[in-house]
Amino acid sequence: MSTTATPARTEARSKSEQAYEVLKDRITGGDLVAGYRLVLSSIADELGFSVVPVREAIRRLEAEGLVKFERNVGATVAGVDATLYLHTMQTLSVIEGAATALAAPLITAVDIDNARRLNAELRRCLEEFEPQRFTRINNELHAILYGHCPNPHILDLVHRGWNRLNAMRASSFDLVPGRARKSVEEHDQLIALIESRADVHEIEMAARAHRTATLNAYMAQHQQPASAI
Amino acid sequence: MSTTATPARTEARSKSEQAYEVLKDRITGGDLVAGYRLVLSSIADELGFSVVPVREAIRRLEAEGLVKFERNVGATVAGVDATLYLHTMQTLSVIEGAATALAAPLITAVDIDNARRLNAELRRCLEEFEPQRFTRINNELHAILYGHCPNPHILDLVHRGWNRLNAMRASSFDLVPGRARKSVEEHDQLIALIESRADVHEIEMAARAHRTATLNAYMAQHQQPASAI
DNA sequence: ATGTATGAAATCGTATACGATTCATCATGG
DNA sequence: CCATGATGAATCGTATACGATTTCATACAT
């Protein structure tokens, strides 16, 4: 305690980080719709900070692709352009596929159990029609599968991809009607593959295909050509 | 003189960007050795700027992994830890493989010609022993192969990966003696594969293997276990 | 009526100033 | 002699202030 009253805890995160967390949560949580304009002074006032840390937070969000920043004009929440969605999904298919493959050899029996439990939850969400919950559980399930990836860079890229995707409200499954059910089945196959210690390359391709299938379903519904990889 | 003499050209980049460019060039150019300490006020004085834009530039470099930043302590040029090198190479192998595969169908005959010319240059660099030039030409050659990748996210990740790698002086080939010669041969095979419009998956695996081979050579020399993917 | 010039308002960009934190140094007691 | 706590310098974190740029509305001329 430096002065007397307030402990001034050294572990307290900086205001830049606080602003970053708040804005990130709002964007990925869907509170801020795409195209929403982020004005530095307004946000600063609301948070009780100065504009400087807010500015830094926004630049950081820009680097992660969650907001678009134009010089001397301002920042807006990144839009959901169809091609942007395509590119994000494609990138994530590659990265998450690799992450899942790298994590597969290190997965434990407990992880497998948890994954199966979550997938059962997903089935229940389907029956009771809880899309919100479905999306959340789906995130957790995949996080288990790629979580042991020993390469922090790749892990970081996966997280960024998921963030961007979550920011695009109507998270994949709302967009394509029949997709969710198939997705759950693919989870079963993928989990079985990992459990059996299959070839890492096979696992990678399965994980990639799982995501690419969602993408293709989306593309088919929106009548656009899908590029193969 | 901002009022009358100088038109105050609107195209001038902001000081943040200028600082970013300068620092990035110094780091990737090898002028700043790993571990070098970046003090805000010193850099600001040297560039004639205030600390604010310099700070922003450094945070941006941090996001790209070129500098390490510690709160209330300062920034240092990111180190060349062996495991960091491994992780960066592994990530790049995945990303660049995908980028090359996605770009392959869009490549032109001119590109193929240029690639072959550059690879011939590489051979000459080997004979005349010009490692610096080899690294530069090698960059250009790969840039041609993945350049047409239609996914800007993936392209961006590739560039970041190369930046990080370039920042690690002793760029791969100085580290492993016999590797460069084999690398040139693999280029020939990869170019032929792309020219023949081979299966994109095959191209992806070849491009990935090309980079993984460099990584494995490095690992073998440093007696560490290589993880398979 | 439409296009263009002019002005004001909004917002960003940067400089300066000061408080907060970390780290090293040194004195002090065991 | 070593451990521990105080003290100071170096550096980062943020607030405030002001200048620069963009944008939009308005008035004017064609």
Side-chain angles (χ1 to χ4, degrees), chain B residues 2 8 10 37-38 40 55 72-74:
Chain B
S2 60
T10 171
R37 195 162 170 206
L38 299 169
L40 292 184
R55 176 187 173 85
N72 279 321
V73 173

Side-chain angles (χ1 to χ4, degrees), chain A residues 19-208:
Chain A
Y20 168 79
E21 295 287 349
V22 169
L23 291 176
K24 181 182 154 193
D25 286 349
R26 286 189 190 174
I27 294 175
T28 59
D31 299 334
L32 296 182
V33 71
Y36 187 91
R37 197 162 171 205
L38 299 169
V39 178
L40 294 183
S41 52
S42 309
I43 300 172
D45 285 348
E46 182 198 329
L47 298 179
F49 300 162
S50 154
V51 297
V52 182
V54 176
R55 176 185 174 85
E56 189 168 311
I58 286 186
R59 298 308 285 255
R60 197 167 151 196
L61 290 168
E62 184 204 10
E64 297 182 12
L66 290 181
V67 311
K68 193 161 71 76
F69 194 89
E70 204 171 346
R71 162 150 188 205
N72 280 320
V73 174
T76 56
V77 176
V80 210
D81 189 342
T83 72
L84 180 66
Y85 176 76
L86 188 163
H87 290 149
T88 303
M89 283 290 278
Q90 193 177 48
T91 307
L92 192 54
S93 77
V94 171
I95 286 291
E96 189 179 357
T100 304
L102 284 168
L106 292 95
I107 213 155
T108 68
V110 178
D111 295 322
I112 297 284
D113 278 354
N114 287 334
R116 287 228 166 82
R117 250 183 336 105
L118 288 178
N119 208 31
E121 284 280 334
L122 287 184
R123 283 210 161 80
R124 196 136 40 112
C125 289
L126 276 180
E127 290 167 14
E128 322 222 343
F129 195 68
E130 297 182 287
Q132 293 264 356
R133 183 170 162 75
F134 186 98
T135 298
R136 194 165 53 76
I137 303 278
N138 188 52
N139 282 18
E140 290 180 25
L141 169 53
H142 280 275
I144 289 179
L145 297 186
Y146 63 68
H148 286 77
C149 173
N151 186 327
H153 294 344
I154 292 181
L155 218 43
D156 182 52
L157 292 180
V158 174
H159 288 141
R160 292 191 184 194
W162 275 94
N163 276 343
R164 293 187 66 156
L165 232 49
N166 286 338
M168 304 176 179
R169 213 77 197 117
S171 48
S172 324
F173 296 107
D174 310 351
L175 294 175
V176 186
R179 173 64 194 148
R181 196 165 299 273
K182 263 192 193 164
S183 179
V184 175
E185 294 173 16
E186 289 173 13
H187 287 164
D188 275 333
Q189 299 171 20
L190 183 57
I191 293 171
L193 212 56
I194 294 174
E195 186 181 31
S196 69
R197 302 291 189 220
D199 178 60
V200 287
H201 185 254
E202 193 179 353
I203 293 175
E204 176 174 6
M205 287 305 129
R208 184 187 289 192

Side-chain angles (χ1 to χ4, degrees), chain B residues 2-166:
Chain B
S2 60
T3 52
T4 50
T6 340
R9 343 197 50 261
T10 171
E11 20 174 328
R13 291 167 327 195
S14 75
K15 300 193 176 180
S16 310
E17 291 179 51
Q18 291 179 29
Y20 168 78
E21 294 288 347
V22 168
L23 291 176
K24 180 184 157 192
D25 287 348
R26 285 189 190 171
I27 294 175
T28 59
D31 299 335
L32 296 182
V33 71
Y36 185 92
R37 195 162 170 206
L38 299 169
V39 178
L40 292 184
S41 53
S42 309
I43 300 172
D45 285 349
E46 182 197 329
L47 297 180
F49 299 161
S50 155
V51 297
V52 181
V54 175
R55 176 187 173 85
E56 190 168 309
I58 286 186
R59 296 309 284 258
R60 196 167 150 195
L61 289 168
E62 184 204 11
E64 297 183 12
L66 290 181
V67 312
K68 193 160 68 79
F69 194 89
E70 203 171 347
R71 163 161 173 158
N72 279 321
V73 173
T76 56
V77 177
V80 210
D81 186 342
T83 73
L84 180 64
Y85 176 76
L86 188 162
H87 290 150
T88 302
M89 283 289 279
Q90 193 176 48
T91 307
L92 193 52
S93 77
V94 171
I95 286 290
E96 190 179 356
T100 304
L102 284 168
L106 291 91
I107 213 155
T108 68
V110 179
D111 294 324
I112 297 284
D113 278 355
N114 286 335
R116 287 228 166 84
R117 253 185 331 108
L118 288 177
N119 207 32
E121 282 282 333
L122 287 183
R123 284 209 161 81
R124 199 141 32 120
C125 289
L126 276 180
E127 290 169 14
E128 321 221 345
F129 196 68
E130 297 180 288
Q132 292 264 355
R133 182 170 162 75
F134 187 98
T135 298
R136 194 164 53 78
I137 304 279
N138 188 53
N139 284 17
E140 292 180 23
L141 169 54
H142 280 275
I144 289 180
L145 297 186
Y146 62 68
H148 286 77
C149 173
N151 187 326
H153 294 345
I154 294 182
L155 217 43
D156 181 53
L157 292 180
V158 173
H159 288 141
R160 293 192 183 193
W162 275 93
N163 275 343
R164 294 186 66 157
L165 232 48
N166 285 338

Side-chain angles (χ1 to χ4, degrees), chain B residues 159-217:
Chain B
H159 288 141
R160 293 192 183 193
W162 275 93
N163 275 343
R164 294 186 66 157
L165 232 48
N166 285 338
M168 303 177 177
R169 213 77 197 120
S171 49
S172 325
F173 297 107
D174 311 351
L175 295 175
V176 185
R179 173 64 194 150
R181 196 166 299 273
K182 262 191 194 165
S183 179
V184 175
E185 293 172 18
E186 290 173 12
H187 287 164
D188 276 332
Q189 299 171 20
L190 183 57
I191 293 172
L193 212 56
I194 294 174
E195 186 181 30
S196 69
R197 302 292 189 218
D199 180 60
V200 288
H201 185 254
E202 192 179 352
I203 293 174
E204 177 173 5
M205 286 306 128
R208 184 188 288 191
H210 171 58
R211 183 153 298 282
T212 307
T214 301
L215 177 57
N216 285 340

